[in-house]
Amino acid sequence: MANEKVVLSLIQPTGTPTLGNYLGALRNWAKMAEDYNCIFGCADLHSITIRTEAQDLKKRTRDLYALLIALGLNPEKNIIFVQSQVPQHSELAWILNCYTMFGEASRMTQFKEKSAKHSDNVNVGLFTYPTLMAADILLYQADYVPVGEDQRQHLELTRDIAERFNGIYGEVLKVPEPLIEQSGAKIMSLAEPTKKMSKSDPNNKAFILLDDTPDVIVKKIKSAVTDSDARVYFSDDKPGVANLMNIYSVCTGKSYDDIETEFENKGYGDFKLAVAESVIEELKPLQVEYKRILAEKAYLEECATKGAQKAQYVAQKTLHKVKKKVGFWN
Ligand code: TYM
């Protein structure tokens, strides 16, 4: 292994991940898997903060686990696990709740957004969601946490909690660094390009799912909201075009200058088709592998069991230290 630094990140099994999840996070995880000590997981404890059918949750968790393997993450070398199978997460989260201020948690914009969106179910879990996330990260003494822009505030809170805990008890918890790539960190909705692309959007033309077929991808990108200017160039005043340029740039490696030159005398029709093709090409290997691995049920089960054991082993070491420092009789 080229680098012993620990890289950790999780994703919620709240439905098939979107192109936003992929370009903002998953794709970067796969790139780091060979060179770092990587720990990746399905955050199923987090996903019950929104009401979920039991059967759906189980299926989505299994499917998401398969997708992580399909990404090319190596379950022998990396730790790939399901959060609820590692009880240390809930235990450390409780302890960290007692080192997190009510005011800090109240300031989280995701809490405000989700409370507004699910006003009939503003549960306490939604409020303490970031302390569970801090536990996920701090249990493994992670150095780097690759996430999209929307998770930056939660990462800052995690750092504050770790520093507060260390300030009281000495250097117990590693203070992690967020890894937020400039490009891909915020993929916007295709229907409302000033809003983040999200799988929970009621308008299914707003997002591309990782298992969308080529036809669907073409249709969704063709219907993406742009503007009446009909010229392809990057500007904050053209959020729809800027978003498509961002997607095209991440998928092809072309710079914005290259893209502007490529479409200088062409309209949005040609541009959108090229964007759709680049997305189709980008997702093709993942989709093929995902289909194959989904059928390997026994293998996936075995990987998850081993992943949970390995995760528990690492997590327990930190939890033990924390409990000793706090003064529990253990
Ligand atoms: P989740 O499941 O909402 O999203 C998973 C990852 O995808 C990124 N992402 C995006 N990136 C770019 N553009 C978008 N439109 C977009 N939408 C989502 C997210 O930033 C994230 O990196 N709370 C986390 C899961 C979590 C976690 C953790 C992450 C639980 N514990 C510990 C890191 C470390 C979440 O809900 O991500």
Side-chain angles (χ1 to χ4, degrees):
M1 194 177 299
N3 196 322
E4 283 303 316
K5 295 270 189 209
V6 176
V7 170
L8 172 138
S9 203
L10 279 74
I11 174 170
Q12 290 192 72
T14 40
T16 308
T18 65
L19 186 67
N21 295 127
Y22 178 71
L23 299 182
L26 299 176
R27 188 175 187 266
N28 302 325
W29 300 6
K31 280 196 281 184
M32 302 181 91
E34 277 310 309
D35 298 330
Y36 292 88
N37 183 0
C38 286
I39 305 174
F40 295 120
C42 303
D44 56 346
L45 294 174
H46 277 108
S47 53
I48 64 164
T49 52
I50 307 295
R51 198 66 73 227
T52 319
E53 289 288 330
Q55 281 312 315
D56 284 352
L57 178 62
K58 198 182 269 182
K59 182 175 184 311
R60 285 172 182 172
T61 306
R62 251 201 270 122
D63 290 355
L64 184 62
Y65 192 90
L67 187 82
L68 297 187
I69 306 281
L71 268 178
L73 307 179
N74 178 346
E76 295 296 328
K77 194 176 145 298
N78 312 134
I79 299 180
I80 323 265
F81 74 102
V82 175
Q83 189 188 30
S84 65
Q85 296 175 1
V86 183
Q88 286 82 357
H89 289 247
S90 310
E91 202 173 338
L92 183 63
W94 169 255
I95 298 174
L96 297 181
N97 276 337
C98 304
Y99 295 82
T100 307
M101 298 303 120
F102 187 86
E104 285 175 317
S106 313
R107 280 195 288 278
M108 295 296 109
T109 50
Q110 253 192 18
F111 169 66
K112 292 183 203 163
E113 281 167 16
K114 286 191 182 171
S115 324
K117 202 160 158 194
H118 303 276
S119 54
D120 56 337
N121 182 24
V122 185
N123 58 75
V124 176
L126 204 56
F127 186 66
T128 60
Y129 180 113
T131 53
L132 176 58
M133 197 168 145
D136 298 341
I137 298 168
L138 301 175
L139 273 175
Y140 300 91
Q141 308 285 354
D143 293 280
Y144 302 121
V145 185
V147 285
E149 185 60 45
D150 62 336
Q151 297 300 321
R152 185 187 290 280
Q153 198 187 26
H154 289 158
L155 260 294
E156 278 164 8
L157 179 62
T158 301
R159 288 169 58 88
D160 291 345
I161 297 171
E163 279 166 1
R164 178 172 302 131
F165 195 89
N166 290 347
I168 304 171
Y169 300 109
E171 294 303 303
V172 183
L173 302 169
K174 170 86 58 78
V175 181
E177 297 283 338
L179 268 192
I180 302 174
E181 296 264 333
Q182 192 102 44
S183 53
K186 197 162 187 193
I187 301 297
M188 310 308 273
S189 153
L190 299 178
E192 270 177 87
T194 47
K195 253 178 47 184
K196 172 185 96 163
M197 181 184 284
S198 162
K199 57 196 157 212
S200 62
D201 200 311
N203 177 358
N204 74 3
K205 281 189 177 159
F207 50 74
I208 289 173
L209 298 177
L210 294 190
D211 61 0
D212 277 346
T213 60
D215 284 358
V216 172
I217 294 174
V218 170
K219 246 188 228 150
K220 286 182 177 175
I221 292 187
K222 269 193 178 165
S223 70
V225 167
T226 46
D227 50 55
S228 56
D229 176 40
R231 282 181 307 138
V232 178
Y233 63 92
F234 193 89
S235 160
D236 290 341
D237 299 333
K238 293 162 69 74
V241 172
N243 187 38
L244 293 177
M245 284 180 77
N246 188 13
I247 294 172
Y248 189 56
S249 165
V250 182
C251 291
T252 59
K254 292 177 185 171
S255 68
Y256 288 159
D257 282 348
D258 292 342
I259 300 170
E260 284 170 10
T261 312
E262 184 177 348
F263 295 99
E264 207 165 3
N265 297 312
K266 295 181 184 158
Y268 287 161
D270 289 332
F271 173 54
K272 284 180 166 176
L273 208 57
V275 177
E277 271 161 16
S278 75
V279 171
I280 292 166
E281 278 311 300
E282 176 68 36
L283 297 185
K284 201 191 276 167
L286 175 64
Q287 292 184 335
V288 170
E289 184 58 10
Y290 179 55
K291 228 182 222 162
R292 188 191 71 76
I293 209 89
L294 260 185
E296 309 256 351
K297 290 206 169 79
Y299 171 71
L300 289 171
E301 193 103 3
E302 188 191 315
C303 290
T305 305
K306 280 195 195 149
Q309 283 165 355
K310 288 199 277 179
Q312 285 178 23
Y313 178 78
V314 182
Q316 186 55 33
K317 283 196 198 170
T318 304
L319 184 63
H320 181 71
K321 260 195 231 167
V322 166
K323 289 174 78 174
K324 227 167 130 181
K325 290 285 186 188
V326 171
F328 290 126
W329 186 17
N330 60 356

